[in-house]
Amino acid sequence: MDEFMQLAIDEAKKGRNEGGIPIGSVLVKDGKVVATGHNKRVQENNPILHGEMDCLNNAGRIGSYRNTVIYSTLMPCYMCAGTIVQFKIPKVIVGESKTFDGAREFMESHGVEVVDLNLPECIDMMEEFIKEKPELWNEDIMELE
């Protein structure tokens, strides 16, 4: 497995162990890790602190994002995809989109290359979480009734 995706998976597991949603992210520039992050909506009571947003926040100001790749264990939502497009991040590598199809078409329509690895480990991690905590998951994707 790609070392950067493994780091994203490790971040997702860290988030789950903290009582949060298991989604991890890694930002890579010129083949080197710039930052990692994971979904902290629950831990920090912050509705916009998705995995990608936490990762980018942890990266701080790096100037240009044009030579970066962002990894995420799950297909980014429209909020995170909008940030990816705004920052002109050219490539997103995701662990899976089976449990959440996210905003792939939106990113691609703005020139972002999206690679979906369809990894069983990522799918299993999210399916288990969704089964155990459906209300928390539905809150995260704004489907809570």
Side-chain angles (χ1 to χ4, degrees):
M1 172 169 321
D2 179 299
E3 67 180 296
F4 304 124
M5 182 53 70
Q6 185 60 58
L7 281 173
I9 291 169
D10 293 346
E11 282 291 319
K13 290 177 180 177
K14 185 187 297 183
R16 183 70 174 109
N17 289 338
E18 294 169 353
I21 299 162
I23 302 168
S25 186
V26 175
L27 183 67
V28 176
K29 184 171 186 172
D30 299 323
K32 295 188 167 105
V33 174
V34 174
T36 62
H38 56 274
N39 187 304
K40 292 181 181 167
R41 292 184 66 253
V42 173
Q43 300 92 312
E44 296 193 15
N45 195 32
N46 183 333
I48 63 170
L49 206 46
H50 288 195
E52 300 88 344
M53 302 301 266
D54 183 49
C55 180
L56 291 168
N57 185 56
N58 291 338
R61 295 178 59 221
I62 67 167
S64 173
Y65 292 83
R66 294 179 194 268
N67 294 325
T68 64
V69 176
I70 194 163
Y71 287 75
S72 181
T73 56
L74 186 66
M75 186 66 71
C77 70
Y78 280 94
M79 176 181 67
C80 296
T83 303
I84 289 164
V85 168
Q86 179 69 32
F87 286 11
K88 296 182 174 35
I89 296 173
K91 187 172 185 178
V92 178
I93 300 177
V94 299
E96 66 106 349
S97 62
K98 179 182 176 195
T99 61
F100 181 73
D101 60 2
R104 179 181 191 143
E105 289 179 16
F106 171 78
M107 290 185 288
E108 289 176 337
S109 75
H110 287 86
V112 177
E113 179 185 357
V114 179
V115 178
D116 185 349
L117 300 176
N118 197 31
L119 296 173
E121 183 174 4
C122 292
I123 295 168
D124 293 345
M125 183 168 45
M126 285 308 301
E127 285 180 342
E128 181 180 306
F129 173 77
I130 292 166
K131 182 179 177 185
E132 289 176 7
K133 306 259 185 176
E135 289 179 6
L136 188 55
W137 172 244
N138 286 328
E139 177 189 325
D140 192 60
I141 61 170
M142 294 296 120
E143 294 295 331
L144 194 61
E145 296 290 324

